[in-house]
Amino acid sequence: MMNSEEYEKKEKLRIEKNLDYAHNGVEFIDIRQTYILGDDVSIGSGTVIYPGTILEGRVTIGSDCVIAENSRIVDSEVGDRTHILKSVILGSKVGSDTNVGPFAYIRPGSTIGSGCKVGDFVEVKNSSMGDGSKASHLSYIGDSDVGSNVNIGCGVVFVNYDGSRKYRSTVKDRAFVGCNANLISPVTIEEGAYIAAGSTVTHDVPGGSLYVERGRGKVLEGWVEKRGILKKRK
């Protein structure tokens, strides 16, 4: 356990390191609340670092990026003009002009292209996303390869694990995966195919086609009253 003198010395060295980055064109909103851990971190000129950011291991961040508050980047590369907000990136690559977060989780072995969006509560694990692809919110992309200009709707899950083995799926360029769809790996969605919202995909989908898998809904009139569970108005 460090005594107060050791702690003050360590903090002084950390702030001095941050000042070196500032002298080379990096802007810190609060230089005392940015934590650059290790000596193999490169940050391009014009990048803005917000408080609570943690950079660990071998990290390369391009120019004119915004690394917003409470983000953690470990052993990863980030291109130019990319914005990262309240997100975690581990052992991965993120291209230029891409938006990540808030609350995104990019796990090791992932590659995110340029002009992409990995939105709020999206998790990407050991997967790739081509240029221009978007997963805007609440989706899981695991052990899969997503092409360019693909739309991944809200609530999409790549179902990659059967309890003993993990499988890989492919979604090719310009495909559209609607909200609340499940892709049961391994499947391939060919170029320009559409997956209707609420579908569970269990086999390959040809290019330019629409895949729809839904049970037929029905309405039971008066069911609530018959069951005696109708709530009385107050």
Side-chain angles (χ1 to χ4, degrees):
M1 185 175 180
M2 291 186 294
N3 58 39
S4 59
E5 184 176 337
E6 291 171 330
Y7 179 80
E8 288 176 3
K9 183 178 180 180
K10 184 178 179 180
E11 280 294 280
K12 182 181 179 181
L13 291 172
R14 183 176 68 81
I15 301 304
E16 288 176 350
K17 180 190 291 187
N18 290 356
L19 284 169
D20 289 339
Y21 287 100
H23 293 153
N24 287 304
V26 178
E27 179 182 346
F28 296 92
I29 301 299
D30 187 338
I31 202 165
R32 293 183 175 275
Q33 293 192 50
T34 298
Y35 302 88
I36 300 175
L37 310 179
D39 298 318
D40 201 2
V41 175
S42 173
I43 308 173
S45 176
T47 288
V48 180
I49 308 290
Y50 277 69
T53 295
I54 301 174
L55 308 177
E56 299 179 58
R58 302 183 64 180
V59 174
T60 300
I61 297 173
S63 300
D64 301 314
C65 294
V66 175
I67 313 300
E69 64 272 18
N70 302 321
S71 293
R72 181 175 178 236
I73 303 174
V74 182
D75 295 327
S76 296
E77 298 179 18
V78 177
D80 298 328
R81 300 174 301 281
T82 286
H83 288 210
I84 297 169
L85 172 59
K86 294 181 180 178
S87 297
V88 176
I89 302 174
L90 307 176
S92 296
K93 295 182 179 180
V94 178
S96 299
D97 302 297
T98 286
N99 291 304
V100 177
F103 310 114
Y105 184 19
I106 300 177
R107 293 168 58 186
S110 295
T111 301
I112 311 299
S114 296
C116 292
K117 182 175 182 180
V118 180
D120 48 294
F121 302 103
V122 172
E123 181 176 352
V124 182
K125 176 254 180 183
N126 188 30
S127 296
S128 62
M129 291 178 65
D131 294 346
S133 289
K134 294 176 173 59
S136 294
H137 31 228
L138 298 166
S139 294
Y140 172 68
I141 303 169
D143 297 302
S144 296
D145 297 296
V146 176
S148 299
N149 298 305
V150 171
N151 182 84
I152 304 294
C154 178
V156 170
V157 176
F158 287 68
V159 186
N160 58 325
Y161 185 50
D162 67 358
S164 59
R165 293 179 58 192
K166 293 187 177 179
Y167 300 88
R168 200 166 188 91
S169 282
T170 300
V171 180
K172 296 189 178 180
D173 297 350
R174 299 182 302 282
F176 186 100
V177 183
C179 295
N180 293 316
N182 296 303
L183 277 59
I184 311 299
S185 299
V187 293
T188 297
I189 312 301
E190 296 289 350
E191 290 189 22
Y194 269 57
I195 308 301
S199 296
T200 295
V201 182
T202 57
H203 55 77
D204 296 348
V205 180
S209 62
L210 172 66
Y211 180 100
V212 183
E213 188 278 325
R214 297 173 184 159
R216 183 179 294 275
K218 60 182 178 179
V219 176
L220 302 178
E221 294 285 354
W223 181 88
V224 174
E225 186 175 359
K226 289 176 183 177
R227 292 293 297 267
I229 57 175
L230 186 64
K231 293 183 179 180
K232 295 181 179 179
R233 293 181 180 179
K234 294 183 178 179

